[in-house]
Amino acid sequence: MPPDFLNSREDAILLWAAALLSFVLYKNFRGVGGSMLAVVRAALHPKLLLLFGSALAYSAFVVYAASRLGLWHTPALKVTVYWFVGTAVVLAGSALTDGARDRRAYVRKVLRRVLAVTIVVEFVVGVYSLPLVLEIALVGTAIVFTCVQVVAMHDPKTTPITRKFIDGVLIAVGLIWFGYFALRVIADASGFLTRDNAEDFFVAPMLTLALVPFLLGAAWLSRREQENLRRRFEARAASARGSNLTDRRAA
């Protein structure tokens, strides 16, 4: 069975991920394996290793400082790991592109992510989980219909009724999770209003805000490197034009 520190919803996600990975590897081991190897090679590029390694060190320092101040505790470790993998890594990567182009717009994008409803949704959906059998069924349904929804969006043959049915199934799954959360809160409000739950709710947005200086620094360095590359390219182009003009005059 999956590790005990995972709840039943995370167990279900892990089981479905393992099943899907096994299926695609069985169907096309060379193709999928080659693609995965290419992704790993790209991730091991020295510049990316430096970027993500620096983000990890910076985040670890922030967490350590928060723990020394009594603002972060060990029960929040799992949420913190999820935050780093799902948010910090993504924001660090986009800092090299979006942040380098327009840092102000990028900061607004980060703040919108901090205040986004998804933070609340992720917390609400993750606090309480149903029994494992039900979670396996719900997670499997969500995965299947999400994939079908993506295909339907790009298939002109899909009828509006079919799209509404797909959306309805996904909404129903979400309502089941939210409904269960609401029932648990109503039944045991004191058990919900705990320090651990509050810390789980605030850890992601607070860590994202604390990461902003690092993201701005990465964006500034990326912009500076791009400008240096552009100047070198323009200098080489000018040198090439000068050489061609000299050759023409000599001819």
CSV table of all heavy atoms in Angstrom, one decimal, residues 47 95-96 99-101 103 216-232:
chain,number,residue,atom,x,y,z
A,47,LYS,N,22.3,25.1,-16.3
A,47,LYS,CA,21.6,26.3,-16.0
A,47,LYS,C,20.3,26.0,-15.2
A,47,LYS,O,20.0,26.7,-14.3
A,47,LYS,CB,21.4,27.1,-17.2
A,47,LYS,CG,22.6,27.8,-17.8
A,47,LYS,CD,22.3,28.7,-19.0
A,47,LYS,CE,23.6,29.3,-19.5
A,47,LYS,NZ,23.3,30.3,-20.6
A,95,ALA,N,10.0,32.6,-14.6
A,95,ALA,CA,10.8,33.9,-14.3
A,95,ALA,C,11.8,34.1,-15.4
A,95,ALA,O,12.1,35.3,-15.7
A,95,ALA,CB,11.4,33.8,-13.0
A,96,LEU,N,12.3,33.1,-16.0
A,96,LEU,CA,13.3,33.2,-17.1
A,96,LEU,C,12.7,33.7,-18.4
A,96,LEU,O,13.4,34.2,-19.2
A,96,LEU,CB,14.0,31.9,-17.3
A,96,LEU,CG,14.7,31.2,-16.1
A,96,LEU,CD1,15.5,30.0,-16.5
A,96,LEU,CD2,15.7,32.2,-15.4
A,99,GLY,N,9.1,36.7,-16.7
A,99,GLY,CA,9.7,37.7,-15.8
A,99,GLY,C,10.7,38.5,-16.5
A,99,GLY,O,10.9,39.7,-16.3
A,100,ALA,N,11.5,37.9,-17.4
A,100,ALA,CA,12.5,38.6,-18.1
A,100,ALA,C,11.9,39.6,-19.1
A,100,ALA,O,12.5,40.7,-19.4
A,100,ALA,CB,13.4,37.6,-18.9
A,101,ARG,N,10.7,39.3,-19.7
A,101,ARG,CA,10.1,40.2,-20.6
A,101,ARG,C,9.5,41.4,-19.9
A,101,ARG,O,9.7,42.6,-20.3
A,101,ARG,CB,9.0,39.5,-21.4
A,101,ARG,CG,9.6,38.6,-22.5
A,101,ARG,CD,8.5,38.2,-23.4
A,101,ARG,NE,7.4,37.4,-22.7
A,101,ARG,CZ,7.4,36.1,-22.7
A,101,ARG,NH1,8.4,35.4,-23.2
A,101,ARG,NH2,6.5,35.4,-22.0
A,103,ARG,N,8.8,42.5,-15.8
A,103,ARG,CA,8.9,42.0,-14.4
A,103,ARG,C,7.6,42.5,-13.7
A,103,ARG,O,7.1,41.8,-12.8
A,103,ARG,CB,10.1,42.6,-13.7
A,103,ARG,CG,11.4,41.7,-14.0
A,103,ARG,CD,12.6,42.3,-13.3
A,103,ARG,NE,13.1,43.5,-14.0
A,103,ARG,CZ,14.1,44.2,-13.6
A,103,ARG,NH1,14.8,43.9,-12.6
A,103,ARG,NH2,14.5,45.2,-14.3
A,216,LEU,N,12.3,37.7,-8.8
A,216,LEU,CA,12.8,39.0,-9.5
A,216,LEU,C,14.3,39.0,-9.8
A,216,LEU,O,14.7,39.5,-10.8
A,216,LEU,CB,12.4,40.2,-8.6
A,216,LEU,CG,10.9,40.5,-8.4
A,216,LEU,CD1,10.7,41.6,-7.4
A,216,LEU,CD2,10.3,40.8,-9.7
A,217,GLY,N,15.0,38.4,-8.9
A,217,GLY,CA,16.5,38.3,-9.2
A,217,GLY,C,16.8,37.4,-10.3
A,217,GLY,O,17.6,37.7,-11.2
A,218,ALA,N,16.1,36.2,-10.4
A,218,ALA,CA,16.2,35.3,-11.5
A,218,ALA,C,15.8,36.0,-12.8
A,218,ALA,O,16.4,35.8,-13.9
A,218,ALA,CB,15.4,34.0,-11.3
A,219,ALA,N,14.7,36.8,-12.8
A,219,ALA,CA,14.2,37.4,-14.0
A,219,ALA,C,15.2,38.5,-14.5
A,219,ALA,O,15.5,38.7,-15.7
A,219,ALA,CB,12.9,38.1,-13.7
A,220,TRP,N,15.8,39.2,-13.5
A,220,TRP,CA,16.8,40.3,-13.9
A,220,TRP,C,18.0,39.6,-14.5
A,220,TRP,O,18.5,40.1,-15.5
A,220,TRP,CB,17.2,41.0,-12.6
A,220,TRP,CG,18.2,42.1,-12.9
A,220,TRP,CD1,18.0,43.3,-13.4
A,220,TRP,CD2,19.6,42.0,-12.6
A,220,TRP,NE1,19.2,44.0,-13.5
A,220,TRP,CE2,20.2,43.2,-13.0
A,220,TRP,CE3,20.4,41.0,-12.1
A,220,TRP,CZ2,21.6,43.5,-12.9
A,220,TRP,CZ3,21.8,41.2,-12.0
A,220,TRP,CH2,22.3,42.5,-12.4
A,221,LEU,N,18.5,38.5,-13.9
A,221,LEU,CA,19.7,37.9,-14.5
A,221,LEU,C,19.4,37.3,-15.9
A,221,LEU,O,20.2,37.4,-16.8
A,221,LEU,CB,20.1,36.7,-13.6
A,221,LEU,CG,20.8,37.2,-12.2
A,221,LEU,CD1,21.0,35.9,-11.4
A,221,LEU,CD2,22.1,37.9,-12.5
A,222,SER,N,18.2,36.8,-16.1
A,222,SER,CA,17.8,36.2,-17.4
A,222,SER,C,17.7,37.3,-18.4
A,222,SER,O,18.2,37.2,-19.5
A,222,SER,CB,16.5,35.5,-17.3
A,222,SER,OG,16.1,35.1,-18.5
A,223,ARG,N,17.1,38.5,-18.0
A,223,ARG,CA,17.0,39.6,-19.0
A,223,ARG,C,18.4,40.1,-19.3
A,223,ARG,O,18.7,40.4,-20.5
A,223,ARG,CB,16.2,40.7,-18.3
A,223,ARG,CG,16.0,41.9,-19.3
A,223,ARG,CD,15.1,43.0,-18.6
A,223,ARG,NE,14.8,44.1,-19.5
A,223,ARG,CZ,13.8,44.1,-20.3
A,223,ARG,NH1,13.0,43.1,-20.3
A,223,ARG,NH2,13.6,45.2,-21.1
A,224,ARG,N,19.3,40.2,-18.3
A,224,ARG,CA,20.7,40.7,-18.6
A,224,ARG,C,21.4,39.7,-19.5
A,224,ARG,O,22.1,40.2,-20.4
A,224,ARG,CB,21.4,40.8,-17.3
A,224,ARG,CG,22.8,41.4,-17.4
A,224,ARG,CD,23.4,41.6,-16.0
A,224,ARG,NE,24.8,42.2,-16.2
A,224,ARG,CZ,25.6,42.5,-15.1
A,224,ARG,NH1,25.1,42.2,-13.9
A,224,ARG,NH2,26.8,43.0,-15.3
A,225,GLU,N,21.3,38.4,-19.3
A,225,GLU,CA,21.9,37.5,-20.2
A,225,GLU,C,21.4,37.6,-21.6
A,225,GLU,O,22.2,37.5,-22.6
A,225,GLU,CB,21.7,36.1,-19.6
A,225,GLU,CG,22.5,35.0,-20.4
A,225,GLU,CD,22.3,33.6,-19.8
A,225,GLU,OE1,21.6,33.5,-18.8
A,225,GLU,OE2,22.9,32.7,-20.4
A,226,GLN,N,20.1,37.7,-21.7
A,226,GLN,CA,19.5,37.8,-23.1
A,226,GLN,C,20.0,39.1,-23.8
A,226,GLN,O,20.3,39.1,-25.0
A,226,GLN,CB,18.0,37.9,-23.0
A,226,GLN,CG,17.3,36.5,-22.5
A,226,GLN,CD,15.8,36.6,-22.3
A,226,GLN,OE1,15.2,37.5,-22.8
A,226,GLN,NE2,15.3,35.7,-21.6
A,227,GLU,N,20.1,40.2,-23.0
A,227,GLU,CA,20.6,41.4,-23.6
A,227,GLU,C,22.1,41.2,-24.1
A,227,GLU,O,22.5,41.7,-25.1
A,227,GLU,CB,20.5,42.6,-22.6
A,227,GLU,CG,19.0,43.0,-22.4
A,227,GLU,CD,18.9,44.1,-21.3
A,227,GLU,OE1,19.9,44.3,-20.6
A,227,GLU,OE2,17.8,44.6,-21.2
A,228,ASN,N,22.9,40.6,-23.3
A,228,ASN,CA,24.3,40.3,-23.6
A,228,ASN,C,24.4,39.5,-24.9
A,228,ASN,O,25.2,39.7,-25.8
A,228,ASN,CB,25.0,39.7,-22.5
A,228,ASN,CG,25.2,40.6,-21.3
A,228,ASN,OD1,25.3,41.8,-21.5
A,228,ASN,ND2,25.4,40.0,-20.1
A,229,LEU,N,23.5,38.4,-25.0
A,229,LEU,CA,23.5,37.6,-26.1
A,229,LEU,C,23.1,38.4,-27.4
A,229,LEU,O,23.6,38.2,-28.5
A,229,LEU,CB,22.5,36.4,-25.9
A,229,LEU,CG,23.0,35.3,-24.9
A,229,LEU,CD1,21.9,34.3,-24.7
A,229,LEU,CD2,24.2,34.6,-25.5
A,230,ARG,N,22.1,39.3,-27.2
A,230,ARG,CA,21.6,40.1,-28.3
A,230,ARG,C,22.7,41.0,-28.8
A,230,ARG,O,22.9,41.2,-30.0
A,230,ARG,CB,20.4,40.8,-28.0
A,230,ARG,CG,19.8,41.6,-29.1
A,230,ARG,CD,18.4,42.2,-28.8
A,230,ARG,NE,18.4,43.0,-27.6
A,230,ARG,CZ,17.9,42.7,-26.5
A,230,ARG,NH1,17.3,41.5,-26.3
A,230,ARG,NH2,17.9,43.5,-25.5
A,231,ARG,N,23.5,41.6,-27.9
A,231,ARG,CA,24.6,42.5,-28.3
A,231,ARG,C,25.7,41.8,-29.0
A,231,ARG,O,26.2,42.3,-30.0
A,231,ARG,CB,25.1,43.2,-27.0
A,231,ARG,CG,24.2,44.4,-26.5
A,231,ARG,CD,25.0,45.3,-25.6
A,231,ARG,NE,25.2,44.6,-24.3
A,231,ARG,CZ,24.5,44.6,-23.3
A,231,ARG,NH1,23.4,45.4,-23.3
A,231,ARG,NH2,24.8,44.0,-22.2
A,232,ARG,N,26.0,40.6,-28.5
A,232,ARG,CA,27.0,39.8,-29.2
A,232,ARG,C,26.6,39.4,-30.6
A,232,ARG,O,27.4,39.4,-31.5
A,232,ARG,CB,27.4,38.5,-28.3
A,232,ARG,CG,28.2,38.8,-27.1
A,232,ARG,CD,28.9,37.6,-26.6
A,232,ARG,NE,27.9,36.6,-26.1
A,232,ARG,CZ,27.6,36.5,-24.8
A,232,ARG,NH1,28.0,37.3,-23.9
A,232,ARG,NH2,26.7,35.6,-24.4
